């Protein structure tokens, strides 16, 4: 896992105050990282056009121009005169060695966005929007310095091929609205090891090596060693069946579909009319529809882990479950409804999507027993104020039934003895990484394809 930070100014100041590292020195290292990326990935025949704002992000761009001047053909477009002393100093240094400055937008092979970075605090207008539009329409490779300019403050920020983030990863780069704009994310080392630069954080980025699959290491075993998942079937029976099949493919020793009506199941799944006494985990809510369970309070009282999804999350009955150790997996619309039911916030989906980290954290602090998995382009897993982010999601998963597969995977890990938080993290990673192994057109993947891919996660 890697730490995520809402802001890094405080980390920069720690470097100044505790380690005697000057602003100038950190800026030199930031620009050096960008310069090295360009040297390693492009020919000196490539032309570079750097667009600079008036703040320290623009100063980073000016330093970059100085470092590459003489190796590459470089031109710098200053949108504003530097407003800071360090920026003015960097401009003087660049001019002394002959860096070329221009007054208009020009074509190039490589474009560097050093306009705002994390220094932006209000919506963009005028010349800034005009330049961003020109950058986005220009042919060439685009590098964002720290954060794509306009991200979170206009509809079309810079669409970067790579974002070189300064010092540490920032949460804004992993909001859903950022996914189409940040490109590859690289962290620039500012001249000090991460352990010294970074501070404590309550938000973390999950990596592939954080996945722990439910491999069976005990040779002498039977199905009872690997849990019994019960999936409650509602009005839309296919949802429960998908969850059950996913649970079986993700290691549960036995999976039963609970339904009073006779349903057609594949022979490797069982049907039962009541929740079995030997059940070790319960999945419910998927495809619940208009079917109201007659014994929800009895289910609440069952001392087994539960995964709750879909329709039940929007039902006021969910309040009875929130004092227990459960996993809930809402999509944004369901989570907005849940926040209202819980009297936490009355917001719309648009407001949530602008502040996913914030509302996930608030909810998890209200209900510390609950593990929240908020679905989206990037999945957020929140527990007691901590956030774990899965950024491996792909548009191939944007299809009805995918969430039912995820619920079944979580249920399978709960049945096998994983904690609620570990079940949500590992099922989420397995779910996303399995989809990355799909080798056909991304629009064509079905939930059944995904269930098959679970068996061969790499």
């Amino acid at each position: 896992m890697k730490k995520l930070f809402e802001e890094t100014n405080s980390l920069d100041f720690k470097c100044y105050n505790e380690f005697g590292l000057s602003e100038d020195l950190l800026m030199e290292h930031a620009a050096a990282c960008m310069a090295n990326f360009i040297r390693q990935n492009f020919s000196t025949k490539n032309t570079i056009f750097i667009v600079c704002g008036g703040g320290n992000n623009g100063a980073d761009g000016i330093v970059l121009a100085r470092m590459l001047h003489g190796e590459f053909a470089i031109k710098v477009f200053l949108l504003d005169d530097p407003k800071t002393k360090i920026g003015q100093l960097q401009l003087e240094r660049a001019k002394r060695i002959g860096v070329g400055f221009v007054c208009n937008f020009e074509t190039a092979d490589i474009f560097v966005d050093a306009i705002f970075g994390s220094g932006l605090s209000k919506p963009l207008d005028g010349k800034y929007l005009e330049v961003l539009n020109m950058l986005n329409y220009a042919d060439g490779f685009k590098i964002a310095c720290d954060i794509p300019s306009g991200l979170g403050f206009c509809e079309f920020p810079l669409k970067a091929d790579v974002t070189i983030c300064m010092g540490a990863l920032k949460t804004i780069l992993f909001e859903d609205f950022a996914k189409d704009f940040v490109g590859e994310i690289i962290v620039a080392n500012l001249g000090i090891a991460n352990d010294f630069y970074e501070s404590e954080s309550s938000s973390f980025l999950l990596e592939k090596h954080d996945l722990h699959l439910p491999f069976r290491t005990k040779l002498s075993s039977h199905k009872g060693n690997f849990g019994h998942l019960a999936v409650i079937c509602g009005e839309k029976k296919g949802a429960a069946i998908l969850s059950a099949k996913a649970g079986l493919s993700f290691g549960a020793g036995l999976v039963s579909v609970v339904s009073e009506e006779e349903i057609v199941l594949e022979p490797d799944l069982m049907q039962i009319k009541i929740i079995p006494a030997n059940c070790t985990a319960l999945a419910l809510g998927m495809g619940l529809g208009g079917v109201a369970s007659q014994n929800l309070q009895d289910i609440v009282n069952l001392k087994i882990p539960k995964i709750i999804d879909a329709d039940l999350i929007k039902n006021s009955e969910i309040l009875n479950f929130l004092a227990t150790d459960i996993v809930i997996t809402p999509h944004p619309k369901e989570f907005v409804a849940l926040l209202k039911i819980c009297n936490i916030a009355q917001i719309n989906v648009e407001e949530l999507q602008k502040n996913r980290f914030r509302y996930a954290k608030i909810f998890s602090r209200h209900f510390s027993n609950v593990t929240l998995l908020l679905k989206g382009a990037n999945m957020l897993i929140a527990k007691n104020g901590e956030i774990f982010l899965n950024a491996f999601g792909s548009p191939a998963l944007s299809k009805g039934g995918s969430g039912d597969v995820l619920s079944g995977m979580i249920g399978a890990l709960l049945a096998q003895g994983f904690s609620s938080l570990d079940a949500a993290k590992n099922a989420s990673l397995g779910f996303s990484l399995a989809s990355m192994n799909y080798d056909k057109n991304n629009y064509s993947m079905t939930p059944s394809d995904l269930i098959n891919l679970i068996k061969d996660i790499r």
Side-chain angles (χ1 to χ4, degrees), residues 313-315 332-342 345 347:
I313 293 174
K314 299 182 291 183
N315 189 317
K333 188 174 181 181
E334 291 163 349
F335 190 51
V336 164
L338 179 61
L339 291 173
K340 183 177 181 180
I341 290 169
C342 298
I347 58 172

Side-chain angles (χ1 to χ4, degrees), residues 88-103:
Q88 292 161 6
L89 175 61
Q90 300 296 8
L91 179 59
E92 180 184 350
R93 289 170 174 169
K95 285 182 174 179
R96 284 192 179 190
I97 67 164
V99 171
F101 290 83
V102 299
C103 298

Side-chain angles (χ1 to χ4, degrees), residues 40-73:
Q40 291 164 10
N41 291 279
F42 298 96
S43 164
T44 54
K45 295 178 181 179
N46 293 128
T47 56
I48 303 174
F49 191 75
I50 305 174
V51 186
C52 298
N56 280 359
N57 194 251
D60 289 340
I62 294 170
V63 179
L64 173 65
R66 168 169 55 80
M67 289 182 172
L68 294 180
H69 179 64
E71 297 179 58
F72 293 81

Side-chain angles (χ1 to χ4, degrees), residues 45-208:
K45 295 178 181 179
N46 293 128
T47 56
I48 303 174
F49 191 75
I50 305 174
V51 186
C52 298
N56 280 359
N57 194 251
D60 289 340
I62 294 170
V63 179
L64 173 65
R66 168 169 55 80
M67 289 182 172
L68 294 180
H69 179 64
E71 297 179 58
F72 293 81
I74 291 181
K75 291 183 180 178
V76 179
F77 182 18
L78 284 181
L79 289 181
D80 299 292
D81 292 331
K83 298 180 175 65
T84 63
K85 288 184 179 180
I86 188 67
Q88 292 161 6
L89 175 61
Q90 300 296 8
L91 179 59
E92 180 184 350
R93 289 170 174 169
K95 285 182 174 179
R96 284 192 179 190
I97 67 164
V99 171
F101 290 83
V102 299
C103 298
N104 295 293
F105 195 90
E106 298 187 12
T107 59
D109 300 311
I110 305 161
F111 294 91
V112 179
D113 160 30
I115 304 173
F116 290 112
S118 57
L120 188 61
S121 59
K122 61 181 180 180
L124 294 180
D125 56 16
K127 65 180 179 182
Y128 303 110
L129 283 179
E130 184 180 350
V131 169
L132 279 179
N133 285 334
M134 287 190 285
L135 280 168
N136 281 332
Y137 280 107
D139 291 328
F141 191 90
K142 281 113 183 181
I143 300 171
C145 175
D146 198 32
I147 290 174
S149 288
L151 189 66
F153 291 93
C154 66
E155 186 176 1
F156 297 108
L158 177 85
K159 188 174 177 63
D161 294 292
V162 63
T163 296
I164 300 181
C165 183
M166 300 309 163
L169 292 169
K170 298 172 177 67
T171 55
I172 190 172
L173 298 174
F174 298 95
E175 294 282 8
D176 273 14
F177 60 73
K179 198 164 181 101
D180 284 312
F181 299 99
V182 296
E184 180 186 1
I185 299 171
I186 296 171
V187 178
N189 180 282
L190 300 184
I192 186 171
N194 286 349
D195 287 347
F196 294 105
Y197 180 78
E198 295 178 347
S199 61
E200 293 299 314
S201 177
S202 59
S203 298
F204 305 90
L205 175 67
L206 294 172
E207 301 176 271
K208 288 184 179 180

